[in-house]
Structures are given as C-alpha cells and as structure tokens.
Amino acid sequence: MEYPFPINIDKLIETIVYIANNVKHKTFLHIFKVFYFADKDHLERYGRFICGDHYVAMKFGPVPSLVYDVLKYARGDSTFFAPPTEKAQVISKAITVRGKFVVKAMRKANESEFSQSDLECLNSAISKFGKIPFEELSELSHDQAWQDTCRNDIISIETIANTLKDSAGILDYLNNPYPDVK
C-alpha cells in the first residue's frame, strides 16, 4: 500500500515550529522522533498521520523525509526548496539551524493549521519524548517497524501500523476508509 495521506507542507512547517518551541532538546533528532511518535499515536487513534510525511529507516531511527529536507534547507545545505519558491520564503521566516543540528523557531506556530487531534498527539509526544536524551530517544525509536525495514528505505505504512494495538483494524480502515460508500 502506498502512503495514503496527502502531504501538507504548510502544516509540516508549522509542526516543526511547534515542536521546536516546545521541546527541551531542539535538535533534528528530537524533532524527528516527536514527529514519529505523534504520527504513530495519531494513526492509532484517528487513522491518519498529522502531516502525511513518509518515514525512512535511518541509523538513529525513523526520519520523516520531507521534514529532513526542510531542516537541511534551513541549515543551508539543500536546494530542495531553492528560492524564489514561496515555500523557501516561508521556511526562512519560520526556522533556522544553528551549528549543524540545533533548530531555532523564528516565531510561534500558526496553530490554526492543526486539528484538535493533531495538537493532542503532538502535545502528548512532546510531553513523553521532548526531554529524553539523544541516545535513549534514538533507542526508543528503534521499534519493530524500524527493525523490519532495511536502512535508508521507506518504512511502509503497514509496517508502522503493525506496531499498533489494533493493526488489523487500522489496516482495514486505510484500505477502505469509506466502507459504506459505493
């Protein structure tokens, strides 16, 4: 199954800003992991990811692919959002990267981009994982989905769903979200 969620780049940028403003350790890794745990929670409870990003099984755990591209652009070593695109301007006004991995939000997040369920899962992940040291957080993210995926490959939505309590129900929903519509 392909990732069934459309990517919302505006919400993704606001989510980076939101997380960076609310975690103790404002590093790439901490932002990646809060995204991952918030998305798993949201998938389990509401049947979708918050921003629709894809996760890649990298050395230190799952990494949201487009989030990584945005952060690399903010750091100045990616042309993925090269100016004069509108998104390049939005990113430049939203975040910056100090050193190699420390993210600084330049403003508050526009919370109107989020649903109540988005904020609920983000706040839960921030509360549970936002203060955990690098090594421990990386280890926590080495869950079964990460273990079952070759390094640097995309972690399938089925593999992530299989780590959740009602994996069969979630996969049924993802395969047919509107069962009564013909």
Side-chain angles (χ1 to χ4, degrees):
M1 166 191 318
E2 294 291 318
Y3 267 73
F5 317 114
I7 294 177
N8 182 333
I9 185 68
D10 295 317
K11 186 191 273 189
L12 184 140
I13 293 166
E14 294 308 314
T15 305
I16 294 169
V17 171
Y18 189 82
I19 294 169
N21 278 326
N22 289 288
V23 293
K24 178 179 178 182
H25 307 286
K26 300 168 188 316
T27 65
F28 280 31
L29 183 118
H30 283 82
I31 289 171
F32 296 158
K33 301 317 170 209
V34 168
F35 252 97
Y36 183 64
F37 291 120
D39 269 343
K40 281 183 64 171
D41 187 23
H42 207 280
L43 178 63
E44 183 169 42
R45 296 165 70 190
Y46 302 105
R48 68 172 173 83
F49 282 168
I50 294 168
C51 302
D53 205 351
H54 300 75
Y55 286 90
V56 177
M58 296 183 80
K59 179 179 179 179
F60 296 110
V63 172
S65 182
L66 191 56
V67 170
Y68 193 27
D69 289 330
V70 167
L71 292 176
K72 287 188 294 185
Y73 176 78
R75 183 170 63 192
D77 61 354
S78 171
T79 58
F80 191 79
F81 296 97
T85 67
E86 176 188 336
K87 295 306 174 212
Q89 293 172 359
V90 171
I91 293 166
S92 297
K93 291 178 182 175
I95 55 173
T96 188
V97 176
R98 294 187 174 157
K100 194 154 170 103
F101 299 109
V102 178
V103 179
K104 170 136 175 59
M106 306 298 287
R107 58 173 173 74
K108 290 189 179 279
N110 175 3
E111 292 187 27
S112 69
E113 285 287 340
F114 305 121
S115 68
Q116 195 61 38
S117 65
D118 295 337
L119 288 171
E120 180 182 312
C121 293
L122 282 168
N123 288 331
S124 176
I126 288 166
S127 175
K128 290 178 189 172
F129 305 104
K131 296 178 184 171
I132 296 176
F134 172 91
E135 294 81 10
E136 184 180 346
L137 189 56
S138 176
E139 186 64 32
L140 285 171
S141 72
H142 290 175
D143 62 5
Q144 197 62 48
W146 180 84
Q147 293 173 32
D148 289 347
T149 305
C150 293
R151 293 305 69 82
N152 300 318
D153 280 351
I154 291 176
I155 304 172
S156 74
I157 194 69
E158 295 94 344
T159 303
I160 293 171
N162 282 331
T163 68
L164 305 174
K165 290 177 193 157
D166 183 19
S167 61
I170 292 166
L171 289 170
D172 284 346
Y173 171 75
L174 293 174
N175 283 314
N176 189 12
Y178 307 106
D180 298 331
V181 177
K182 303 212 191 266

